[in-house]
Amino acid sequence: MVAPSSLTATLGLPPPSNYASSLSAKPQSLSSVLRCSSPPASLRSRAPVAAGEAFRSDQTLDATQVDEKPAVAATPLDVNADADKVLDSCGEPAAFFKRPITQISSSQVEVSSVSQQKVVIRNTHGENLVGILHEAGSWELAVLCHGFRSSKESKTIMKLADALVSENVSVFRFDFAGNGDSDGSFQYGNYWREVEDLRAIIQYFSRQNRGVHTIVGHSKGGNVVLLYASKFHDISTVVNISGRFTLERGIDDRLGRDFMERMKRDGFIDVIDKMGKFAYRVMEQSLIDRLTTDMRTACLSIDKHCRVLTVHGSEDDIVPPEDASKFDKLIMNHKLHIIEGADHRFISHQFHLARILLEFIRSSQDEDSAAAKEQA
């Protein structure tokens, strides 16, 4: 693996902390000095939109809702009688829980059993973002963001949606542009573009008089929700699951150790999958986008009133667990939970992950309620 310091030296990049505050609108080359880690101008120029506030014509978001399924009340499984067994299975003391916890299993209420609507929301680039809204009884929503080359149908996202709707938390899961069912072409970097997509989602529900209480991101989606919180201060609860802190790392794992030479020579890299088939193309500008996305500055820009949870697996072989510790050191209002034995996708630890997420969201909602009563 190429060390981060050697990457920046090869590219002629200054340290991330010395990046200038804006992206140049003109494409840059790898041989030039890159001057960005802040949000693009298209994001910086837009102030947050308050709930119910009229949008400017250039920010109007279109949406269609189809394929609505019959509503079925989400009734959490009563596991109080077997609480000790459920708690012991995760190795946590009973004091960890503030309320009865629903067991996540095939026998409980599934995502498909609640009212679902397909919602199509247009982003600021004219692309249609396709998502699924799960109405589980709550006015406030949790928005789930998928990872790199993934979709709203990933097992991790679906299991988290299962857990939330079973606790009567309404959920919206969607595909970023260029992924899944959404419009657009896939891009390797696109971190700030995906922040714009998330912004479009939150603005749409604000226009519908629906509150978004929590944004949750897995893997690259974890980076997106943190970047969003660093720019827009309208979300009180953020959950980063397996996000990467040092974005210069992990590139050669996907693109090959000679990716710098190939990019300089050809201007692009075609990635081949394990079956020997073409997977996707990485363009020079999208590689620059990743290398100039500064998570350190983003972490320091998150408001102290925004509650952030990072969950990481101790056996994550894609994003090292030490990245989670770096988030913990820099984000002011932060909690860290390392799940022993869990991999990047928490394949054998879905229940544990869901339980931690639910507890954090409920705790955050309780704090918000208490604060609102004090102000009343």
Side-chain angles (χ1 to χ4, degrees), residues 110-121:
E110 297 290 344
V111 172
S112 59
S113 70
V114 302
S115 174
Q116 297 185 36
Q117 290 178 315
K118 178 181 177 182
V119 183
V120 179
I121 301 172

Side-chain angles (χ1 to χ4, degrees), residues 80 97-102 167 358-359 361-363 366:
N80 291 336
F97 300 93
K98 296 181 180 179
R99 53 177 55 79
I101 297 298
T102 302
E167 288 287 308
L358 284 166
E359 179 65 16
I361 291 176
R362 291 304 191 196
S363 175
D366 289 346

Side-chain angles (χ1 to χ4, degrees), residues 233 300-308 331-334:
H233 307 292
L300 294 173
S301 300
I302 296 175
D303 190 270
K304 65 180 181 180
H305 299 296
C306 178
R307 307 173 193 88
V308 181
I331 300 174
M332 188 173 300
N333 191 353
H334 186 269

